Amino acid sequence: MRKMLVTGGAGFIGSEFVRQAALEKSNKIIVIDKLSYAGDLERLAELKDKYTFYNSDIRDKKNISRIFSKEKPDIIVHFAAETHVDRSILDGTIFIESNIKGTQILMDAARAIGTPRFIHISTDEVYGEIRKGKFLEESPFRPNSPYAVSKAGADLLVQSYIRTYNFPAIIIRASNNYGPWQYPEKFIPVIIAKIMNGEKIPVYGKGLQCREWLYVSDCAEAVRFVTENGKIGESYNIGSGIEKTNIAVAKKTLNALGKNNSHIEFVQDRPGHDFRYALNIKKIKELGWSPKIDFTEGITKTVQWYKDNSPWLMSKMNSIKKYWKKVYKKI
């Protein structure tokens, strides 16, 4: 049995990865999560005794070293990060500290015990925006938000460890995720939560910003695939090939909720808003992975999950309302 340590395993994407990885009897799962506002062990409730949990901030060097020395994981999959662009615009400090310093502390602890494989989860936002074409793994970094800069810094730090220390890392850059269990600060769960609360749907600017939308189970499956089959020292883009503008996503989600477009309210655009992201995923496809869930199926599943789990969504509403007021400003 091999030990797989997952940072941020109580988060949105990390928990989906843990749920999938726990299905394999050969894996012993260890989860590290500081349980911030966006972390929730309820996401792992179905696993019961199938994982070992440590409540720790990845910036806590002493504690991380203690956990790594005790567990001696064979594989580290690093999801833990501050992830929301809007929050990074309000205050980017925690993003720099967690995403860059935290990643360094994890890599140093992994080096100290000789962990043979470290999977770093990055983002398409490190590339910046692209008007035409798609980003390759070799495309230059041009991050445009404090969040994106923090992830680009972590990404470059991992690359430097690969080069300097022969560190056994693989980097994954994923496109926009959506699906069950996503905290209602991200666009699709915001739409669902607002409708359930009898409020208007906030759409930035004219809603023409375009993203590549990847269903969370596809993302987690791709990470698992790269963990098993990826080459040390390489980077892999993970995307769906499904591009949608924000206004199209809003309308599609409203339709799945049985609502019309009169619920849309355009709000002041956020500063430095990237217009479009798109990833070339030829490299991972040639390795043997392709996405499975199309957007219609994904939205249908997502809306149904939130309907079935409305108590969980509503439990997050009170803590998010003040944040919504700070971010969504009427035009």
Side-chain angles (χ1 to χ4, degrees):
M1 182 172 284
R2 65 182 181 177
K3 288 187 176 181
M4 181 179 289
L5 187 149
V6 183
T7 72
F12 168 50
I13 308 175
S15 65
E16 174 63 21
F17 177 88
V18 171
R19 290 191 296 272
Q20 290 188 20
L23 295 175
E24 296 181 23
K25 294 181 179 180
S26 61
N27 290 331
K28 179 181 178 182
I29 308 296
I30 302 129
V31 171
I32 295 177
D33 201 297
K34 73 174 183 178
L35 298 180
S36 68
Y37 73 93
D40 194 338
L41 285 176
E42 193 173 345
R43 292 183 173 112
L44 302 177
E46 67 188 64
L47 300 183
K48 295 182 180 179
D49 57 351
K50 293 183 179 179
Y51 70 99
T52 300
F53 177 69
Y54 292 95
N55 186 346
S56 181
D57 192 320
I58 60 172
R59 295 173 297 169
D60 187 338
K61 184 175 183 178
K62 184 177 180 180
N63 202 35
I64 291 298
S65 294
R66 179 185 66 82
I67 294 167
F68 278 37
S69 295
K70 178 182 177 182
E71 295 291 351
K72 293 183 171 53
D74 303 300
I75 299 171
I76 297 166
V77 186
H78 175 35
F79 286 97
E82 297 293 332
T83 66
H84 194 39
V85 173
D86 293 333
R87 287 183 187 269
S88 79
I89 292 171
L90 293 173
D91 185 358
T93 305
I94 187 67
F95 289 77
I96 302 301
E97 291 179 352
S98 291
N99 298 353
I100 299 177
K101 181 180 178 181
T103 298
Q104 180 185 17
I105 286 170
L106 290 170
M107 289 193 294
D108 286 344
R111 287 183 62 226
I113 62 170
T115 298
R117 185 162 285 228
F118 185 101
I119 312 299
H120 175 66
I121 310 302
S122 188
T123 171
D124 58 358
E125 296 194 40
V126 299
Y127 298 120
E129 66 180 7
I130 188 168
R131 294 281 171 160
K132 295 180 180 179
K134 297 186 177 186
F135 290 116
L136 295 166
E137 286 83 357
E138 297 77 26
S139 295
F141 287 1
R142 295 190 178 95
N144 292 315
S145 71
Y147 160 67
V149 168
S150 72
K151 291 299 288 185
D155 203 319
L156 290 170
L157 189 62
V158 174
Q159 292 181 51
S160 77
Y161 271 52
I162 293 169
R163 174 68 181 264
T164 304
Y165 304 114
N166 199 28
F167 186 65
I170 298 172
I171 298 168
I172 292 174
R173 303 186 187 114
S175 63
N176 261 38
N177 270 234
Y178 71 102
W181 290 112
Q182 192 169 29
Y183 188 77
E185 64 184 356
K186 301 297 177 72
F187 189 43
I188 291 173
V190 165
I191 294 172
I192 298 168
K194 289 279 190 179
I195 287 295
M196 287 185 175
N197 209 38
E199 300 177 41
K200 292 279 190 177
I201 304 305
V203 176
Y204 282 134
K206 296 181 180 179
L208 300 180
Q209 294 83 7
C210 193
R211 301 290 182 262
E212 186 173 346
W213 296 88
L214 178 65
Y215 193 66
V216 65
S217 65
D218 273 346
C219 182
E221 182 186 85
V223 174
R224 289 176 60 219
F225 182 84
V226 171
T227 298
E228 299 294 337
N229 302 287
K231 183 179 178 182
I232 295 294
E234 294 290 330
S235 300
Y236 297 90
N237 288 338
I238 297 175
S240 64
I242 301 168
E243 293 185 46
K244 299 284 182 183
T245 60
N246 288 345
I247 190 65
V249 171
K251 289 177 178 179
K252 187 82 171 178
T253 308
L254 284 169
N255 181 259
L257 286 161
K259 302 294 183 178
N260 60 42
N261 300 338
S262 66
H263 295 273
I264 293 172
E265 177 180 70
F266 293 103
V267 299
Q268 181 179 316
D269 204 355
R270 74 183 177 204
H273 202 165
D274 288 335
F275 184 74
R276 174 178 176 261
Y277 309 133
L279 294 177
N280 183 313
I281 62 169
K282 181 180 179 182
K283 185 173 181 179
I284 192 172
K285 278 189 170 181
E286 289 179 345
L287 196 63
W289 178 85
S290 294
K292 295 181 175 66
I293 308 296
D294 67 31
F295 194 67
T296 298
E297 180 184 359
I299 284 293
T300 301
K301 286 183 173 184
T302 300
V303 167
Q304 189 59 54
W305 185 89
Y306 280 104
K307 284 181 176 180
D308 293 341
N309 295 273
S310 59
W312 182 85
L313 182 59
M314 293 301 106
S315 73
K316 307 299 179 184
M317 291 287 283
N318 290 334
S319 63
I320 199 74
K321 283 181 179 179
K322 289 182 180 179
Y323 168 73
W324 280 347
K325 287 180 181 179
K326 288 182 182 179
V327 172
Y328 302 126
K329 299 174 183 177
K330 295 181 181 180
I331 294 175

